[in-house]
Amino acid sequence: MKKMNLKYQPSQKVLKHLFVGIFFMIIPFLAQAQDKRTISGVVTDEKKDPLPGVTVTIKGTKDAVLTDFNGQYIIKAESRDQLVFTYVGFESFTTAIGDKKNVNVTLKSSTSNLDEIVVIGYGSVKRKDLTGSVSSVNMSDLNKTPVRSFDEALAGRVAGVQVTSSDGRPGSGINIVIRGNNSVTQANSPLYVIDGFLIEDSNNNVINPSDIESIDILKDASATAIYGARGANGVVVIQTKRGKEGKPVFTFSSTIGVQEMSKKMDVMSTYEFVKYQLEYNPAATSTPVKSPTEIYLTGPGKTLEDYRNVGSTDWQDLVTRAALYQNNNLSITGGTKKLKYAFSGSHTDQDGILLNSNYLRYQGRVNLDYKITDKLKIGINSNYSRLKQTGLDPTMSTSGGSGTSNLMVSVWGSRPYTPNVENPEDEFFDPNVNSATDYRVNPVMNLKNTYNVATTSNIGVNGYLEYQFTKDLKLRSTLGFIENDFERDEFYNSKTAYGRPGNPNGVNGKITNNNYNNWLNENTLTWDKKIGKSRFTALGGFTAQKQKSWSNGRSVIQLPNEDLMFDGFDQGVALRVDPTESEWTMASFLTRINYSYDSKYMLTASYRADGSSKFPSKNHWGYFPSAAASWKFSEEKFLKNKVLSEGKIRLSYGQTGNNRVGDFDYLTTYYNPANPIFGTYTFDKNYVVGVAATKLGNSDLKWETTEQIDAGIDLGFFKQRVVLSADVYRKTTKDLLLKTQLPLSSGFTTAIKNIGSVENKGLELSLTTKNIINKDFSWTTSANIAFNKNKLLSLAEGQDKLETIIPWDFNWSTVSTYVARVGEPLGQMYGFEYLGTYKYEDFNTSVNGSGTTVYSLKPEIATNGNTRANIQPGDAKFKDQNGDGVVNAKDYTTIGNGNPVHTSGFTNNFTYKNFDLNVFFQWSYGNDIMNANRIIFDGNQKAQEGLNQFTSYQNRWTPDNPNSDVFRTRGLVGSSVGYSSYYVEDGSYLRLKSVALGYNLSF
């Protein structure tokens, strides 16, 4: 078996890699020529007043100084160097040194970043000319956060963008939602446009964040409609760095750090655990495993008090470690008037905090631009990444769907102490657990012996040709492809949860391959003409794209020789793995017209027609128009003043689509079970192999369509020292692609149909302030906040709700977790409203013949799903919603809402001389969380003996604690009760997400 580096001295590894990183960073300075000389000068503004605090940098290096109070500076540089002068509120200026010893510079005022170029669909515009809602990510702030993938750092940086992680492992996927969920059952992730290549389900791990020049997020329909059928969920436009004219610039960066678990779950100590187990099963003896009395009292000859000071095994500490993170980036950029180049490479190695987990990435990029003639230009963007993710998915459960097979159930639930066992971490099975119903194993051994490795090879190449027919007319044609090969190798030996003795599959393994290739051709013609104060920009184009995917694999169980691992597959029992192959194609026509008068009045209109093979021929084509207008009122003479530096009103409307369905969902799917009973039928007294329809098609399927209206205002004050942007919007998605119920007579339970609609409406605010700007100290602040409310407007005729099941355990596989009701938000939690516990006053009492007090629930008190006679003081109590005296499924109600009231981010940047400090807070407010961990660990509703609990359950109801609203031991058992508000928690949080302190050195 492949050996994993599970335990190590993190300090030694950190020092090792730190010295390597420092060595590589010092190399460029050691190699510098020693002919530097002193350059001095004065920096002034257009009025010839000196400018203090101007940053003077040698281009391509971190060598920098600041001008003093008189605008003077002194710096050492070589003749071939270039000086870059930057100052807040002024345009940057670059000049060559040559033979000069004195370089005086006058900087031109720039009231804002209004001339900043923003990348939009099939083009770019100056920010001041935008008519739609487009947000740009501050790459300087983002790059101060050491992250593996850019999407990890997006949360809280852009208003209206929500970011969540799937399972927290290094390399795991990140989900991004822009302006709320449009679709109920289909994907809500945005379209990604990376250097012009459109990707619906992007693996953002293949992109090195250090290669990114800009990230622009298109949010309203005016900005996204140019992407038609794929723009409903928003569009993330990414441009990578390109070469610039000048000498080669070498850049190297190295990041090394250690990650640790910041907080452990508090679980019961040995004493509290033994006390709870004796309450759970007070029997003197039991089978097939020993009772707690036998294990802890009669067996070792002890009392409960003897365990009060006994230590506990910290399983959380045993399965985690201090994990090393390192990232190295090297880039070379430069060019001539004809050829510009950018080469880069990176290496990322991130250990997970769980044993035997790791993420490794090798990545390289080449971007070239070549000007063949004054009219003809060609270029290429290319990227290659090889990714390797190792480790067990902590969210995975198996063994027939039992939640006890989940890794964290073994970590949190394992006994803190077992008498007469010196080293419980060396025991694979807990001998006092019934392995037929409880699949917990030693989590340390499980992690160490699991082999789960996912490898991805991804290459993307996108070339372009531009021909300038005239100064106003340009043709751009692109052709690109992506080839992605994914392989997951899994092997579970007898010391793993999924290959343990007693598992029907025994020792087993699996190899899975999922591959795809995607090509895209786009051809656009752009006419850009200025006539007087009017400017016309017209775009027209045709695009074609095709993706082909295929999968295959091999799965083997009952392997007799686990030491051979994959080499022993021929000795086991092969399971059926069906290879698959699928493809989709799309053709599109698009056009957009922009009109601007004096950069004061602006109009935009776009139209796109998309034809997709994912829909039947009669619905192949969808049509998506949009229009927008803006008025820059700050340019009106009657409004010009020294306070208001920018003022613009925007209004837009448009339609976009969502084609995130299966490639052939409109067709009926047939399947051959290859089973002698179910896969054949008799004909002429012989068995004949047949096929069966497994999914009913729908020849009327069409696009989900989202209509959106957006109104916004952009304000700037005091020469853009204060910048405010606000947007209000309303999105309505109709023709939702949903599974609708079918009559049983059809032979099917559900089919996909276009039914229902969803509404999202919200408010987004962004604020940037330059609080203090002087010679030695500066302080700037950026903040954003977004409010979004969604509502299900309609479902199928006669249907008022849609329930969703999360099958985390086979006992809960038919219990609804979430509900979407017409007229209410999506993402609502569903279950009983928890009222606390039954108290003594809820019962009538009597004394039986043996002198024992008998408690009988009063007739006017509702039951809790259990039979009335069996309900006892301390049992869980739920609200009887319909007042019939019996709590059952009819009393299910909304118990929580997963949608936040608002999300926000808050960034402060400070500089003091050569020091810089970045502090970033991010928060979410008003969202609830269904903490299903508590179903197992805060009362043991799953009813597993020998299962440790969270310390919160120590406050449970007992005769000595009769006022507790935490139900008693065995006071809530079984999935028939389902979910309740007892497990719903406030998910609001404020997180200090990153702090970056730096010092700029001059050599």
Side-chain angles (χ1 to χ4, degrees), residues 477-612:
S477 181
T478 68
L479 178 63
F481 74 90
I482 293 176
E483 182 83 28
N484 191 90
D485 298 324
F486 173 88
E487 179 176 314
R488 181 179 296 279
D489 299 331
E490 302 172 67
F491 191 85
Y492 303 106
N493 67 20
S494 58
K495 297 297 183 182
T496 64
Y498 309 136
R500 63 181 178 83
N503 186 329
N505 291 335
V507 175
N508 64 91
K510 181 191 295 185
I511 299 173
T512 306
N513 293 283
N514 290 287
N515 309 310
Y516 74 84
N517 57 46
N518 187 326
W519 63 260
L520 170 68
N521 171 236
E522 296 188 318
N523 306 276
T524 57
L525 195 62
T526 304
W527 179 67
D528 188 356
K529 182 70 173 179
K530 187 172 183 180
I531 304 174
K533 293 185 177 182
S534 295
R535 189 179 197 98
F536 299 88
T537 304
L539 169 77
F542 169 77
T543 78
Q545 189 168 10
K546 179 178 180 179
Q547 178 167 301
K548 180 180 179 181
S549 58
W550 62 98
S551 68
N552 54 63
R554 190 178 183 190
S555 181
V556 181
I557 62 174
Q558 302 295 341
L559 289 164
N561 190 343
E562 62 184 53
D563 292 333
L564 293 177
M565 290 189 65
F566 300 102
D567 292 336
F569 267 26
D570 291 338
Q571 300 175 8
V573 178
L575 297 182
R576 173 173 172 171
V577 177
D578 292 315
T580 66
E581 185 172 325
S582 187
E583 67 179 34
W584 58 261
T585 58
M586 177 175 283
S588 308
F589 296 91
L590 58 99
T591 184
R592 180 177 60 215
I593 298 175
N594 292 341
Y595 171 74
S596 171
Y597 179 79
D598 200 21
S599 288
K600 187 187 302 182
Y601 312 105
M602 287 149 282
L603 298 172
T604 300
S606 70
Y607 189 81
R608 178 162 177 147
D610 281 323
S612 173

Side-chain angles (χ1 to χ4, degrees), residues 184-185 738-741 755-756 792-804 816 818-826 828-831 888-894:
V184 177
T185 59
L738 296 175
K739 287 185 177 180
T740 186
Q741 298 294 320
I755 53 174
L792 181 62
L793 299 179
S794 65
L795 287 170
E797 184 176 350
Q799 185 180 11
D800 65 349
K801 66 179 179 180
L802 183 67
E803 299 179 20
T804 302
S816 296
Y818 296 93
V819 63
R821 298 180 187 271
V822 174
E824 298 180 7
L826 303 175
Q828 294 192 116
M829 295 147 198
Y830 199 41
N888 53 27
K890 296 178 181 178
D891 297 295
Y892 269 32
T893 187
T894 299

Side-chain angles (χ1 to χ4, degrees), residues 668 693-697 740-751:
T668 298
T694 57
K695 182 177 70 66
L696 186 63
T740 186
Q741 298 294 320
L742 296 178
L744 294 178
S745 59
S746 68
F748 299 90
T749 56
T750 61

